[in-house]
Amino acid sequence: MSEKKIKKVFIEGAISPSCIADSIAKHSTKKDIGAHSIFLGQVRNDVINDKEVKAIEYTAYNEMAEEKFHEIRETAFEKYSLTCMHIYHSLGRVNSGEISLFVFTSSKHRKDAMEVCSYIVNRIKEEAPVWGKEIFEDESYIWKQNTP
Amino acid sequence: MSEKKIKKVFIEGAISPSCIADSIAKHSTKKDIGAHSIFLGQVRNDVINDKEVKAIEYTAYNEMAEEKFHEIRETAFEKYSLTCMHIYHSLGRVNSGEISLFVFTSSKHRKDAMEVCSYIVNRIKEEAPVWGKEIFEDESYIWKQNTP
Amino acid sequence: MKMKILAFGIIADITGKSEWTIENIQHTDELKKHLENLFPRLKNMKYAIAVNLLITNGNFELTDGTTVALMPPFSGG
Amino acid sequence: MKMKILAFGIIADITGKSEWTIENIQHTDELKKHLENLFPRLKNMKYAIAVNLLITNGNFELTDGTTVALMPPFSGG
């Protein structure tokens, strides 16, 4: 492994609204920021073969995922005019209605903040080695497939 | 005025992170939502002619603005696959580092939530009859000009 | 024939008031001329005119009881 | 020559284990054939192979001490 500092992305279980509020509040000291863009992924209660999804259980290839998140982070800072960025992804069980992905980008102007947020979310969905297992009421499951 | 129900958009002073957290938390019962997109406008401490902006004071043509927000809302629901949307805009004084605009869109899938959020923010900046007065340390001011 | 005038942002600074009544002005072009005579700084200002909440394009006839808003470029958000 | 194999998602379900060691396999194509013999369901699966954290394209030579990960399509977020 190289010596670059890798920020912690994975957190155990759902991401709470109060954690998101804390993250936002911390940026009030960064007074050159004019625009924040936030993406939140929430677990849906899809019905598959007549059974309702109660939760998603996430697993990851942690070591590779942390590298990938770091690379996405570096590229985002190179490609966009960006002041701050934070990524949090759940591992383990997240119930439907709860939040499992939190991407937070901040820039001087709105265009940068919004474009880079969308860029990061798309790369995470496509490239992060994370797998979701959709668990039904009876604890049976299927492996989730992301829509492109 | 027509009889359509107009949602309240303007709030007095800054939008607090805890208000944003409450808004997010309320959506955990809407289990068909898979993606939230949030835009936050934060007041910057720009330096203009060697003086630092300490706050922005917002005024609006309230009656016209509420109509415009309503129209933006209706068009957004027509153009995009959207489950929920909320717009909050500050009136009065908002200090640098504080939040003055909060746009919150929710959809089944990420693409809709992110595109419509950006659409709404751009329309608000261009079409909402709201004016910001940038106030300096010595209480002198200039009228804000939005970047396109 | 009376109309209500509303002024916003820098325009209210220039006119020194944000709401007043005018009489016997037939259309928006006449109103602009009238205001620019009273407040010459308006001549170099970019502003939109809304009549009863709708932004006007070109010259627009004014009738009794209308509300006319003078609006400099928006800067919300 | 020993290599560590990691299996994720539905692949770990099929193989019944998420981590094990194999010996004396020269390259990724040989590994795939070996695994598909042991676990025929893998033949119809779409999966990527990462060697030491990097996703491989085409056949890739394996050396002592490498870590090989078997990864079905990602579904995070």
Side-chain angles (χ1 to χ4, degrees), chain B residues 58 89 130-132 141 143-144 146, chain C residues 8 13 69 72-77:
Chain B
Y58 290 100
H89 195 300
V130 177
W131 296 273
Y141 66 85
W143 289 96
K144 186 174 175 247
N146 275 354
Chain C
F8 293 95
D13 281 358
F74 307 146
S75 54

Side-chain angles (χ1 to χ4, degrees), chain A residues 17-18 20-22 24-25 27-46 52 54 96-99 104 107-110 113-114 117-118 121-122 125-126 146-148, chain B residues 17-18 20-22 24-25 27-46 52 54 96-99 104 107-110 113-114 117-118 121-122 125-126 146-148:
Chain A
S18 67
I20 296 160
D22 290 347
I24 295 167
H27 289 75
S28 65
T29 56
K30 300 205 174 173
K31 298 187 178 186
D32 55 334
I33 291 173
H36 303 290
S37 185
I38 291 173
F39 178 84
L40 303 173
Q42 182 167 300
V43 173
R44 286 196 313 270
N45 66 343
D46 286 354
E52 190 183 318
K54 281 292 161 194
S96 62
E98 292 182 326
I99 290 161
F104 186 8
S107 297
K108 193 168 182 197
H109 299 294
R110 69 185 184 278
M114 289 190 289
C117 189
S118 164
V121 172
N122 287 333
K125 294 266 184 181
E126 282 163 25
N146 275 355
T147 48
Chain B
S18 68
I20 297 161
D22 289 347
I24 295 167
H27 289 76
S28 65
T29 54
K30 300 206 174 175
K31 298 188 178 185
D32 55 335
I33 291 172
H36 302 290
S37 185
I38 292 174
F39 178 84
L40 304 173
Q42 183 167 301
V43 173
R44 285 195 313 270
N45 65 343
D46 285 354
E52 190 183 318
K54 281 292 161 194
S96 62
E98 292 183 325
I99 290 161
F104 186 9
S107 297
K108 194 168 182 197
H109 299 294
R110 71 186 184 276
M114 290 191 287
C117 189
S118 165
V121 172
N122 287 333
K125 295 266 184 181
E126 281 163 25
N146 275 354
T147 48

Side-chain angles (χ1 to χ4, degrees), chain D:
Chain D
M1 187 178 114
K2 280 190 180 185
M3 285 147 299
K4 185 159 82 176
I5 308 290
L6 303 174
F8 294 96
I10 195 166
I11 307 228
D13 282 358
I14 292 169
T15 58
K17 52 196 171 184
S18 57
E19 188 175 336
W20 68 99
T21 304
I22 56 162
E23 289 185 41
N24 299 323
I25 282 182
Q26 307 299 319
H27 46 70
T28 51
D29 279 357
E30 192 186 339
L31 175 66
K32 281 177 86 160
K33 224 171 272 173
H34 168 76
L35 291 169
E36 286 168 10
N37 277 333
L38 288 172
F39 311 105
R41 275 183 67 199
L42 288 183
K43 279 179 199 157
N44 305 313
M45 293 287 308
K46 208 186 131 193
Y47 61 98
I49 295 181
V51 175
N52 292 339
L53 303 179
L54 293 174
I55 290 179
T56 57
N57 263 319
N59 196 12
F60 198 91
E61 204 191 324
L62 299 173
T63 53
D64 190 47
T66 51
T67 298
V68 180
L70 311 171
M71 307 189 298
F74 307 145
S75 54

Side-chain angles (χ1 to χ4, degrees), chain B residues 6-132:
Chain B
I6 292 196
K7 286 188 70 168
K8 204 172 145 33
V9 165
F10 288 121
I11 66 167
E12 198 54 37
I15 297 158
S16 69
S18 68
C19 151
I20 297 161
D22 289 347
S23 247
I24 295 167
K26 274 179 198 152
H27 289 76
S28 65
T29 54
K30 300 206 174 175
K31 298 188 178 185
D32 55 335
I33 291 172
H36 302 290
S37 185
I38 292 174
F39 178 84
L40 304 173
Q42 183 167 301
V43 173
R44 285 195 313 270
N45 65 343
D46 285 354
V47 173
I48 302 167
N49 300 328
D50 292 330
K51 293 199 281 188
E52 190 183 318
V53 172
K54 281 292 161 194
I56 294 183
E57 193 180 295
Y58 290 100
T59 49
Y61 186 3
N62 289 45
E63 205 182 346
M64 186 175 168
E66 296 281 2
E67 285 267 305
K68 179 54 75 178
F69 287 129
H70 182 79
E71 185 210 315
I72 292 172
R73 185 182 172 76
E74 298 289 294
T75 317
F77 271 101
E78 273 161 33
K79 284 174 70 109
Y80 296 88
S81 178
L82 189 55
T83 313
C84 267
M85 86 171 255
H86 305 274
I87 303 174
Y88 296 99
H89 195 300
S90 296
L91 285 185
R93 190 170 174 125
V94 180
N95 293 322
S96 62
E98 292 183 325
I99 290 161
S100 59
L101 175 61
F102 171 27
V103 176
F104 186 9
T105 54
S106 308
S107 297
K108 194 168 182 197
H109 299 294
R110 71 186 184 276
K111 197 165 174 287
D112 294 303
M114 290 191 287
E115 283 182 6
V116 72
C117 189
S118 165
Y119 169 82
I120 292 164
V121 172
N122 287 333
R123 287 202 60 185
I124 290 172
K125 295 266 184 181
E126 281 163 25
E127 300 175 43
V130 177
W131 296 273

Side-chain angles (χ1 to χ4, degrees), chain C residues 3 6-7 15-16 24 28 31 33-34 36 47-48 55 65 69 73:
Chain C
M3 285 149 299
L6 303 174
T15 59
N24 299 323
T28 51
L31 175 66
K33 227 170 269 170
H34 169 75
E36 286 168 10
Y47 60 98
I55 290 180

